[in-house]
Amino acid sequence: LGDVYKRQALGNLRREEAELQTRFDALADQAFAVCKTHYAEQNTIKKENLKRRKVLCAEVQNYLQNTDWAKADIQAVEGIMRAARTEWRTYHPCDIKALRVLEKEFEAAQAQLYQHIKSGRDTNIAAKESIVADAKALLELEDIEAQTGRAKELQTRWKTIGSTPRGIDQRLWKEFRSVCDEIFKRLNTSRNAAAVACLLYTSPSPRDGLLSR
């Protein structure tokens, strides 16, 4: 009886193990199916993001090739460079291996944009520094009217110059404005002096009044 009982117990255990294994396999298949779907979706997203990054990179490269950099608006170029970087980051995730070559091309294009921006800024800084120097030179002129006229011309020139880094721009503008304020102050002083002289010249003196009686 003992042997029979043992065989029955062993058989029951094996059936339970088989049932557990079957249940485990079913659950594993379900989990794998979910993962398989997830990975398939991720692959689709990665491929689409890679495609969009290729389009973006081509657009930046095309912009570099077809822009007249001698007339480019540096502030607009800065905006384009930042926008391209922001858009690039939104196309994530992406297949790392497939992205390597494309990422190098994009970074190279961004570097070219930055060099154009830097070159434009340097040109604009030099132009504003030149205006400040020209304005200071006006202080040596004796002709107040000539000083004022040329100062106004320099103010007009300043407005035509493109953007420069904020700190440098504020420093140069402060220097330029200080010189212009001095020039216009001299003009006002000169005109006031002329007005007083004219008033004294045209007004009758007390002696003239006495003589006319």
Side-chain angles (χ1 to χ4, degrees), residues 133-144:
D134 290 345
K136 290 179 178 179
L138 294 179
L139 296 174
E140 304 300 322
L141 297 178
E142 295 183 1
D143 188 335
I144 302 299

Side-chain angles (χ1 to χ4, degrees), residues 59-123:
E59 288 176 349
V60 175
Q61 291 171 333
N62 184 63
Y63 176 75
L64 282 166
Q65 295 173 359
N66 293 289
T67 298
D68 184 352
W69 293 106
K71 300 178 181 179
D73 182 341
I74 298 303
Q75 196 166 0
V77 179
E78 289 183 75
I80 289 171
M81 184 179 72
R82 287 194 297 269
R85 174 69 66 189
T86 299
E87 185 177 346
W88 177 271
R89 289 171 177 165
T90 61
Y91 300 141
H92 179 81
C94 210
D95 185 272
I96 296 177
K97 288 185 178 180
L99 182 62
R100 285 174 183 169
V101 175
L102 181 63
E103 189 167 27
K104 288 182 180 180
E105 292 180 4
F106 179 74
E107 293 302 331
Q110 287 288 89
Q112 289 182 57
L113 283 177
Y114 176 76
Q115 285 303 316
H116 285 299
I117 291 170
K118 185 177 183 303
S119 177
R121 285 176 178 172
D122 291 344
T123 299

